[in-house]
């Protein structure tokens, strides 16, 4: 299969590796120095937990032309970067697109893609369960257990499921279909915003963050605010274990967060805050749809955004 991975960061690079190992003809869209690294050295990944390194050869392009055709396009980038590529994707004649990553506006993005395109677009949304960091050399440090992506459609059934399963059939990579991917993504935003803000407020010093009792407890209160707001807008919190921990096992969650921030591999997770700032902004649109009070969310947002804007 001809597959394009649009984005060559940590998550896109690992996905391209998986697809290449599955026997697909993989092309990666990258620009500038990153494109040069891929063309010269290949796709180099250090799999942290697996204690091994891999190198894959992939095709590299620096722009997507309207007449380029792919069986699948995976767009893997930060939430704040998606808007800049929607028109390019709409103009391209490929039909099957999966937007992978944090997303607070899945419906809006799908509407724009379908409205601007001259061909039918099958639009899916996904989230790859992995993390890591890209080194200056271009090598990716990949943090993962097993390879897995949560995938779903806003329209119900995943009509291109056979295409997806063919792409991954020869690799150890699990595709999990979720019936309400929009709710899954919004639920995840609540968690990721709270936890990322904790590290950011300590300038990435996770050891200090692990000892900040007030901030960790505030993060838990922030999650409670966010989940309560989503429920008020008739979203189902998924997975339900998140809200159960926040409401019924706060002490256990607090110690879990403190320990997690001390784990060595957490230092290798990209801590860019620009995406979190964009997610704060998008979540405010949801807040405007309800009168629910979110005092803890508001406090954390005020502190984090003041620091972000002041940099």
């Amino acid at each position: 299969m001809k597959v394009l991975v649009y984005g060559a960061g940590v998550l896109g690079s690992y996905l391209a590796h998986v697809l290449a190992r599955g026997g697909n003809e993989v092309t990666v869209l990258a620009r500038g120095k990153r494109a040069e690294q891929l063309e010269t050295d290949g796709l180099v990944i250090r799999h942290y937990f697996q204690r091994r390194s891999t190198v894959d050869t992939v095709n590299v392009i620096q722009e997507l032309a309207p007449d380029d055709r792919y069986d699948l396009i995976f767009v893997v980038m930060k939430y704040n970067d998606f808007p800049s590529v929607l028109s390019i994707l709409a103009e391209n004649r490929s039909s099957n697109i999966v937007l992978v990553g944090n997303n607070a506006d899945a419906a809006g993005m799908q509407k724009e893609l379908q409205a601007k395109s001259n061909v039918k677009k099958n639009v899916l949304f996904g989230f790859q369960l992995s993390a890591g960091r890209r080194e200056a050399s271009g090598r990716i440090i990949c943090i993962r257990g097993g390879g897995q992506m949560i995938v779903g459609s806003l329209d119900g059934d995943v009509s291109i499921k056979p295409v997806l399963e063919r792409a991954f059939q020869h690799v150890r990579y699990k595709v999990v279909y979720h019936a309400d991917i929009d709710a899954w993504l919004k639920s995840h935003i609540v968690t990721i915003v709270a936890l990322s803000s904790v590290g950011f407020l300590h300038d990435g010093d996770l050891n200090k963050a692990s000892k900040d009792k007030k901030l960790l407890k505030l993060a838990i209160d922030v999650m409670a605010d966010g989940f309560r707001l989503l429920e008020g807008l008739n979203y189902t919190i998924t997975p339900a274990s998140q809200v159960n921990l926040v409401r019924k096992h706060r002490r256990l969650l607090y110690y879990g967060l403190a320990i997690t921030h001390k784990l060595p591999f957490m230092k290798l997770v990209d801590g860019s805050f620009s995406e979190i700032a964009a997610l704060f902004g998008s979540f405010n649109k949801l807040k405007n749809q309800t009168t629910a009070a979110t005092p803890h969310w508001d406090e954390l947002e005020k502190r984090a955004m003041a620091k972000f804007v002041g940099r």
Side-chain angles (χ1 to χ4, degrees):
M1 292 181 64
K2 289 188 64 176
V3 183
L4 172 65
V5 178
Y6 199 128
V10 172
L11 302 184
S13 295
Y14 174 62
L15 181 59
H17 156 76
V18 168
L19 291 164
R21 293 296 167 111
N24 299 286
E25 180 185 338
V26 178
T27 298
V28 174
L29 192 150
R31 297 188 176 92
K33 183 178 179 181
R34 182 58 177 150
E36 294 175 7
Q37 292 169 337
L38 291 170
E39 291 173 337
T40 302
D41 303 321
L43 184 58
V44 183
I45 300 179
R46 175 62 180 174
H47 304 265
Y48 182 82
F49 290 129
Q50 291 73 22
R51 296 186 178 182
R52 65 186 181 92
S53 296
T54 57
V55 181
D56 297 285
T57 300
V58 294
N59 302 316
V60 181
I61 61 173
Q62 297 200 38
E63 63 179 21
L64 178 64
D67 291 332
D68 292 343
R69 289 178 179 268
Y70 295 93
D71 298 307
L72 272 171
I73 297 179
F74 291 93
V75 187
V76 191
M77 54 184 56
K78 290 180 171 59
Y79 171 64
N80 48 309
D81 292 330
F82 279 129
S84 65
V85 304
L86 294 180
S87 293
I88 297 171
L89 293 166
E91 292 172 0
N92 180 261
R93 297 191 62 80
S94 304
S95 297
N96 303 322
I97 299 174
V98 187
L99 302 181
V100 183
N102 289 307
N103 202 319
D105 186 28
M109 292 184 187
Q110 176 172 296
K111 182 178 180 180
E112 182 173 346
L113 277 171
Q114 294 177 338
K116 291 183 176 180
S117 179
N118 291 322
V119 299
K120 179 183 177 182
K121 295 292 190 188
N122 301 308
V123 184
L124 302 180
F125 297 88
F127 192 92
Q128 185 171 254
L129 302 181
S130 60
R133 184 180 297 276
R134 189 173 76 203
E135 299 179 326
S137 65
R139 186 178 75 157
I140 300 295
I141 307 297
C142 183
I143 309 295
R144 62 182 177 85
Q148 182 173 323
M149 184 187 294
I150 311 295
V151 178
S153 166
L154 301 185
D155 303 319
D157 292 337
V158 178
S159 60
I160 64 168
K161 186 181 291 187
V163 180
L164 280 172
E165 293 182 348
R166 181 182 166 196
F168 293 106
Q169 65 179 334
H170 297 303
V171 288
R172 292 183 178 179
Y173 187 92
K174 189 176 182 181
V175 178
V176 177
Y177 300 100
H178 200 288
D180 192 352
I181 191 65
D182 192 36
W184 192 98
L185 289 168
K186 285 184 169 64
S187 299
H188 180 73
I189 287 170
V190 171
T191 304
I192 197 68
V193 162
L195 298 185
S196 295
S197 296
V198 170
F200 175 69
L201 287 170
H202 279 284
D203 297 313
D205 189 332
L206 300 184
N207 186 51
K208 284 186 178 179
S210 71
K211 299 174 183 177
D212 192 334
K213 295 181 180 180
K214 289 185 178 180
L215 189 55
L216 289 176
K217 289 179 179 179
L218 176 61
I220 296 172
D221 289 331
V222 166
M223 290 183 230
D225 280 357
F227 291 147
R228 185 167 55 253
L229 184 147
L230 290 178
E231 288 174 332
L233 294 172
N234 296 317
Y235 289 101
T236 301
I237 309 304
T238 176
S241 57
Q242 297 179 93
V243 73
N244 288 336
L245 272 172
V246 169
R247 291 175 178 167
K248 299 179 181 180
H249 305 286
R250 291 176 60 91
R251 189 176 182 83
L252 177 64
L253 178 57
Y254 166 78
Y255 285 115
L257 294 180
I259 292 171
T260 299
H261 279 80
K262 292 181 179 179
L263 296 175
F265 71 83
M266 289 295 293
K267 297 177 182 178
L268 300 175
V269 176
D270 181 13
S272 172
F273 195 76
S274 59
E275 180 179 33
I276 304 304
L279 291 172
F280 265 126
S282 292
F283 206 82
N284 283 337
K285 296 178 182 178
L286 294 176
K287 287 166 58 177
N288 291 337
Q289 298 174 29
T290 177
T291 57
T294 55
H296 305 100
W297 182 283
D298 298 343
E299 178 185 347
L300 185 64
E301 179 181 12
K302 182 178 180 180
R303 291 175 59 181
M305 290 305 297
K307 185 178 181 70
F308 180 66
V309 173
R311 283 193 161 190

